[in-house]
């Protein structure tokens, strides 16, 4: 359960709150299509990492696995992608939770962001076991809150169902990049394997269960927002406008509590994973060394906090950037890790067929090329 909820907690972060805003021009059917496609191929990529992890006798993080099976270049690419995803994600989480705390307690965004980062980092400091237990309880609570909120949105919908079934494929590809960001949690697979050294056969079921729960949540939250709000009223952090639309102060509190927990659990998973990847890749002392742990956490957390309230990086743009520069690299490189160290207790089977590997590479590489063109201003903005 802890491993499954680590996957859910990593996946259901700022991405789920930005999906409605990012897809408001394209439409919910386009978003649902991309969630299926991105989810399917991202899960395949995660399972490639799982097999590589199970094939390797020495416990390694994602960058260490890349170095072993792809070489130094692959290792640095993975380290860059984990770092890019982490920084962009933590900017989005700090910004999003800062806005929620600022709204609730009437304090400045700067102070709210700092308070959030300080509290969230204190749990990461305690290590993998502490984050796993915290993820289990908060993710379970998030699921219960989600059922309540989606049910309330369905019963009190302000927008007719027919009005949210539009599909504008002109704006479709950037939405795919946001979906990639949501599922780009390959870095969590080696983390999970560390907790299953006594029973590695549970790694794959945990990944599949976590991915399945995540898909349902990623599809339902934007649907509920679209049913409650006209597209021009959807905010970047959807929980704020969604909570007001539900009318009751109780629902406003619950929807923002859900949003806060979603970003907090992802903050824990990403910061913990980037910490161990940094120590693994840069050859620092053990993560139990106090100076090493403190220095790495400061490097991981402080820059995103500063950027979160600088106004230089928007919430959804941070998610888009993470999906582009981190998620796509992280999704492609596991294709090249399917080499043998020793026979694993589980194999990818048909999903490791060369045709499937080719599709994974082409799909994510094409999204990356599109994103670069978009960032250069050669394509129209999607939101």
């Amino acid at each position: 359960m802890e491993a499954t909820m680590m996957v859910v907690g990593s996946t259901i972060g700022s991405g789920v709150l930005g999906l409605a805003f990012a897809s408001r021009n394209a439409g919910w059917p386009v978003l649902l299509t991309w969630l299926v496609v991105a989810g399917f191929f991202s899960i395949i990529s995660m399972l490639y990492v799982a097999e590589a992890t199970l094939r390797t006798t020495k416990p390694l993080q994602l960058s260490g696995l890349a170095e072993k099976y792809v070489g130094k270049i692959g290792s640095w690419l993975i380290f860059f992608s984990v770092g890019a995803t982490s920084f962009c994600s933590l900017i989005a989480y700090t910004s999003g939770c800062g806005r929620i705390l600022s709204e609730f307690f009437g304090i400045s965004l700067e102070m709210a962001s700092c308070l959030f980062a300080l509290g969230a980092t204190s749990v990461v400091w305690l290590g993998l076991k502490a984050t796993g237990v915290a993820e289990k309880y908060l993710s379970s609570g998030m699921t219960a809150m989600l059922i309540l909120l989606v049910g309330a949105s369905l019963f009190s919908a302000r927008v007719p169902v027919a009005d949210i079934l539009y599909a504008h494929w002109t704006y479709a590809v950037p939405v795919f990049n946001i979906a990639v960001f949501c599922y780009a949690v390959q870095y969590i697979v080696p983390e999970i394997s560390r907790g299953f050294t006594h029973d590695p056969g549970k790694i794959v079921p945990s990944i599949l269960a976590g991915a399945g729960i995540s898909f349902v949540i990623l599809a339902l939250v934007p649907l509920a927002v679209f049913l409650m709000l006209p597209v021009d009223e959807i905010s970047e952090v959807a929980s704020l406008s969604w909570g007001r639309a539900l009318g009751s102060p109780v629902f406003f509190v619950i929807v923002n509590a859900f949003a806060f927990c979603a970003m907090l659990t992802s903050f824990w998973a990403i910061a913990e994973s980037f910490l161990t990847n940094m120590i693994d890749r840069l050859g620092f002392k053990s993560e139990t060394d106090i100076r090493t742990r403190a220095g790495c956490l400061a490097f991981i957390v402080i820059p995103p906090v500063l950027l979160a309230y600088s106004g230089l990086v928007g919430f959804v743009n941070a998610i888009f950037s993470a999906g582009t520069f981190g998620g796509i690299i992280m999704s492609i490189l596991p294709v090249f890790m399917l080499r043998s160290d020793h026979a694993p207790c589980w194999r990818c089977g048909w999903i490791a067929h060369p045709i499937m590997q080719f599709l994974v590479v082409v799909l994510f590489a094409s999204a990356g090329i599109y994103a670069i063109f978009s960032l250069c201003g050669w394509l129209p903005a999607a939101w």
Side-chain angles (χ1 to χ4, degrees), residues 154-168:
L154 292 174
F155 281 108
S156 57
R158 296 168 52 197
V159 179
V161 174
D163 289 355
I164 70 168
L165 297 181
Y166 61 90
H168 299 149

Side-chain angles (χ1 to χ4, degrees), residues 91-224:
I91 291 169
Y93 302 151
T94 305
S95 172
C97 286
R99 292 186 196 185
I100 292 172
L101 291 177
S102 177
E103 176 99 7
F104 268 78
F105 298 107
I107 58 178
S108 67
L109 180 59
E110 291 85 351
M111 181 179 292
S113 297
C114 290
L115 288 174
F116 166 74
L118 184 63
T121 305
S122 65
V123 176
V124 180
W125 175 266
L126 297 175
L128 180 63
K129 183 61 180 176
T131 54
V133 172
E135 293 261 10
K136 179 176 70 174
Y137 288 111
L138 275 191
S139 296
S140 300
M142 280 164 45
T143 303
M145 285 188 281
L146 177 68
I147 293 170
L148 178 63
L149 293 169
V150 171
S153 298
L154 292 174
F155 281 108
S156 57
R158 296 168 52 197
V159 179
V161 174
D163 289 355
I164 70 168
L165 297 181
Y166 61 90
H168 299 149
W169 289 96
T170 303
Y171 303 103
V173 178
V175 178
F176 174 75
N177 284 38
I178 302 290
V180 169
F181 164 76
C182 293
Y183 288 113
V185 294
Q186 286 85 351
Y187 56 82
I188 204 69
V189 177
E191 284 292 295
I192 291 173
S193 72
R194 288 204 300 162
F196 276 138
T197 52
H198 63 291
D199 193 359
K202 291 183 178 178
I203 295 174
V204 173
S206 299
I207 292 171
L208 294 176
I213 295 170
S214 298
F215 168 76
V216 173
I217 296 175
L218 290 171
L220 288 181
V221 170
L223 175 63

